[in-house]
Amino acid sequence: MSSYCFAKSSKRVEDWFKRTKAYERFVVAFREKKGLTLKEKIRINLIADACIIYSFFIVDLLWVRVMMVGLALYKHYYFFIKMKTIRLPKKTEHI
């Protein structure tokens, strides 16, 4: 999401970002399907949580740490409660 917002600040960066696999895989898929699969949600949250945890130990300001924890909790709430989870059709085996 932050990459998408950053890309909107410059037409050149936006054009480049729209050609990346990450954009096609997550942004376009989310827009078309209006949700993400459980696997995609978990992958995105693990990456974001790793960045938040790293930042938590780097920053010395208590109010920033509290804000990071609050944002992390809200992120989980939004991804797993508010955002639609798309179920993939079950694969059938042909005998």
Side-chain angles (χ1 to χ4, degrees):
M1 185 62 154
S2 62
S3 297
Y4 177 77
C5 292
F6 174 72
K8 294 301 255 178
S9 66
S10 160
K11 183 66 177 154
R12 192 176 112 216
V13 174
E14 180 183 3
D15 291 341
W16 166 81
F17 181 65
K18 286 183 175 181
R19 291 189 306 267
T20 65
K21 287 184 181 185
Y23 180 84
E24 290 177 15
R25 188 171 189 181
F26 297 111
V27 179
V28 173
F30 178 75
R31 282 183 168 175
E32 290 174 358
K33 299 183 285 186
K34 305 290 189 234
L36 297 171
T37 65
L38 183 60
K39 185 177 179 180
E40 291 168 333
K41 287 182 178 185
I42 291 170
R43 181 182 302 128
I44 291 168
N45 273 279
L46 285 175
I47 293 167
D49 286 342
C51 294
I52 291 169
I53 290 168
Y54 176 76
S55 299
F56 184 87
F57 290 109
I58 298 296
V59 173
D60 260 351
L61 300 170
L62 178 62
W63 69 272
V64 175
R65 285 181 170 183
V66 170
M67 188 174 68
M68 283 191 281
V69 169
L71 287 171
L73 291 173
Y74 181 75
K75 174 182 63 68
H76 284 279
Y77 163 76
Y78 186 82
F79 266 77
F80 293 105
I81 305 295
K82 299 293 278 181
M83 187 184 293
K84 179 182 170 186
T85 301
I86 297 169
R87 300 192 187 279
L88 296 176
K90 292 183 179 181
K91 293 181 182 178
T92 57
E93 292 184 31
H94 297 287
I95 300 177

